[in-house]
Amino acid sequence: MTDLRQLLGTNMKIYRKSLGFSQEKLAEKVDTATNYIAAIEAGRRFPSISVLEKIALALKIDTPELFSMKPVQYNTVKQNLEEQVWQDIGQNLSAYISKQVSALKKT
């Protein structure tokens, strides 16, 4: 049987690092103490449902992903996030260029 505290802590740490967050930054986003985040990641504490939801929201994942039995692969998570960022940049850049071209046509 898998220790849920360890599983949660490991997954949380991987997702946090994939976003480039320190424990301090995650604690700030969750509105809790840094040492509480550290204790969860170390498997010494288990958060309430409301804190789990805040953690998942801060990590931009669904709450059940924190308990995935399949080992979370840091590189896969990072790659997926990078792809999402590049897609967002591409869409924003395309809209910006279209706006600038329209503005130039008016002059």
Side-chain angles (χ1 to χ4, degrees):
M1 179 175 277
T2 302
D3 181 350
L4 284 180
R5 289 180 185 200
Q6 288 297 110
L7 180 63
L8 169 64
T10 299
N11 286 350
M12 197 170 114
K13 185 175 184 177
I14 291 169
Y15 281 114
R16 174 180 61 77
K17 286 187 171 193
S18 74
L19 292 172
F21 290 176
S22 64
Q23 288 180 337
E24 293 82 11
K25 181 165 183 150
L26 180 58
E28 181 182 305
K29 289 184 169 291
V30 175
D31 193 29
T32 192
T34 302
N35 62 352
Y36 186 58
I37 296 296
I40 296 169
E41 288 186 359
R44 294 189 311 270
R45 298 287 304 267
F46 197 84
S48 67
I49 297 295
S50 62
V51 173
L52 280 172
E53 290 173 341
K54 289 178 183 179
I55 290 169
L57 182 63
L59 296 175
K60 302 175 184 173
I61 59 172
D62 293 326
T63 306
E65 291 180 67
L66 289 169
F67 298 98
S68 173
M69 296 299 286
K70 185 195 279 186
V72 179
Q73 297 296 322
Y74 172 79
N75 290 333
T76 302
V77 172
K78 184 177 178 185
Q79 181 180 358
N80 289 342
L81 289 170
E82 286 174 350
E83 287 173 6
Q84 182 179 350
V85 167
W86 282 112
Q87 286 175 354
D88 291 346
I89 289 171
Q91 290 171 354
N92 290 333
L93 184 58
S94 179
Y96 174 79
I97 290 170
S98 294
K99 184 177 176 181
Q100 294 303 314
V101 168
S102 293
L104 286 173
K105 287 180 180 178
K106 291 179 183 179
T107 57

